[in-house]
Amino acid sequence: MTINDVASASAALRSAEDQRQARGRITDEWTGLDLATAHQVQAETVRAKVAEGDRVVGTKLGLTSRAKQQRMGISSPLTAVLLESYVLPADVPVPLDRLIQPRVEPEIVFVMGKRLQGPGVTAATALAAVERVHAGFEVIDSRYRDYSFALPDVVADNASSACFVVGSTSVAPDQIDLLLEAVALSVNGQTVATATGAAVQGHPAEALALAANELGSRGLAIEAGEIVLTGGLTDAVPIGDGDQIVAEFTHLGALVLTGATSKKTGEDNA
Ligand code: 0L1
Ligand code: MG
């Protein structure tokens, strides 16, 4: 398939996802893919999924921490769309059979009480629009081989979105110091990373403001009731069959995620 426009780029990425077959960078084939056009590819994928019955439930930020930016070699945060099909209930294992190369990252999650749209949104106005703060896990799954991409590639790929979990503990935004809220991430009992909310753009509310302003520049908004994932606090860690990943937050509770194949999740493999 020749990739030289929005429709063909979106189709190629959806095919990689459906076939569980990682692919090369879109920008290697379509060298003219710029950031604005990559957002159109992302929107086309969302449009196609919604046409098949999915639903937009929020916004995510990616690459908001130095840990993630350094790992991916990209210093620009980005936004993407959260779909209902990405929601993973807290007690359900990560469905490894449906994913290509999943990685897990702990995040601070906002549930919005008010609509937010840039330009001019500050961290203070952003936080005032938040109803509840939760801990969360995001499971990312790049459709690019070995997570190798340039910024337009990953924007087109809806920022590697695959699944996310929102923890059941929640607090009002004025009842928690998100700058100092800490997380310890462990894999199979070994602590592999720690971070505080300051790792996310200096403060998770700064990330939220950034998203509102970026969406506003494209005529979009974060709606009341929507979920916002503010970006991985730490680098993401791979998850395999039988792995248990725990994120222990100081005030937002502890989340546990396990990886399982369909045999273990009880899904029909036929
Ligand atoms: O949620 C994220 O930070 C993902 C952003 C895209 C880069 C990646 O795949 O890690
Ligand atoms: Mg993330």
Side-chain angles (χ1 to χ4, degrees), residues 60-65 68 71-72 74 78 80 103 105 107 138-144 147 149 154-155 157-161 229-232 234-236:
K60 68 168 263 189
L61 289 114
L63 305 179
T64 48
S65 71
K68 293 245 17 200
R71 165 68 86 109
M72 307 322 299
I74 297 176
L78 48 82
R103 295 179 183 175
E105 54 194 23
E107 304 215 9
E138 185 179 19
V139 182
I140 54 173
D141 192 34
S142 177
R143 271 56 70 170
Y144 298 110
Y147 281 77
F149 42 68
V154 67
V155 168
D157 190 27
N158 203 25
S160 312
S161 300
L229 301 189
T230 56
T234 67
D235 193 8

Side-chain angles (χ1 to χ4, degrees), residues 18-255:
D18 291 346
Q19 308 294 317
R20 297 183 60 219
Q21 187 70 54
R23 54 162 293 116
R25 298 174 177 212
I26 299 283
T27 50
D28 285 345
E29 294 167 64
W30 182 15
T31 51
L33 179 66
D34 59 16
L35 199 52
T37 315
H39 274 292
Q40 292 175 26
V41 176
Q42 182 189 105
E44 171 56 20
T45 298
V46 169
R47 188 207 60 73
K49 291 188 178 205
V50 168
E52 289 166 4
D54 216 333
R55 191 169 67 88
V56 173
V57 295
T59 296
K60 68 168 263 189
L61 289 114
L63 305 179
T64 48
S65 71
R66 291 278 296 154
K68 293 245 17 200
Q69 291 179 355
Q70 277 170 350
R71 165 68 86 109
M72 307 322 299
I74 297 176
S75 56
S76 239
L78 48 82
T79 64
V81 180
L82 294 177
L83 293 168
E84 190 171 43
S85 59
Y86 300 161
V87 174
L88 189 66
D91 51 352
V92 172
V94 177
L96 300 177
D97 287 355
R98 286 201 257 126
L99 302 173
I100 306 168
Q101 44 189 347
R103 295 179 183 175
V104 175
E105 54 194 23
E107 304 215 9
I108 288 171
V109 180
F110 293 137
V111 175
M112 302 304 297
K114 294 187 196 140
R115 184 175 200 266
L116 207 52
Q117 184 177 35
V121 175
T122 63
T125 52
L127 203 57
V130 172
E131 188 165 271
R132 303 294 291 178
V133 182
H134 298 248
F137 266 132
E138 185 179 19
V139 182
I140 54 173
D141 192 34
S142 177
R143 271 56 70 170
Y144 298 110
R145 212 168 290 124
D146 302 324
Y147 281 77
S148 171
F149 42 68
L151 184 59
D153 295 298
V154 67
V155 168
D157 190 27
N158 203 25
S160 312
S161 300
C163 312
F164 68 92
V165 177
V166 178
S168 56
T169 301
S170 75
V171 299
D174 59 356
Q175 296 301 306
I176 186 166
D177 184 348
L178 286 175
L179 189 75
L180 296 180
E181 180 66 10
V183 64
L185 184 70
S186 68
V187 180
N188 300 329
Q190 296 281 350
T191 302
V192 295
T194 58
T196 67
V200 179
Q201 290 296 124
H203 192 291
E206 293 284 358
L208 179 60
L210 186 154
N213 289 324
E214 194 283 317
L215 291 176
S217 73
R218 293 186 285 127
L220 304 171
I222 300 169
E223 303 295 340
E226 286 191 346
I227 296 165
V228 177
L229 301 189
T230 56
L233 287 149
T234 67
D235 193 8
V237 293
I239 184 166
D241 193 13
D243 283 343
Q244 185 182 67
I245 301 184
V246 177
E248 205 167 335
F249 286 77
T250 37
H251 299 94
L252 293 172
L255 299 182

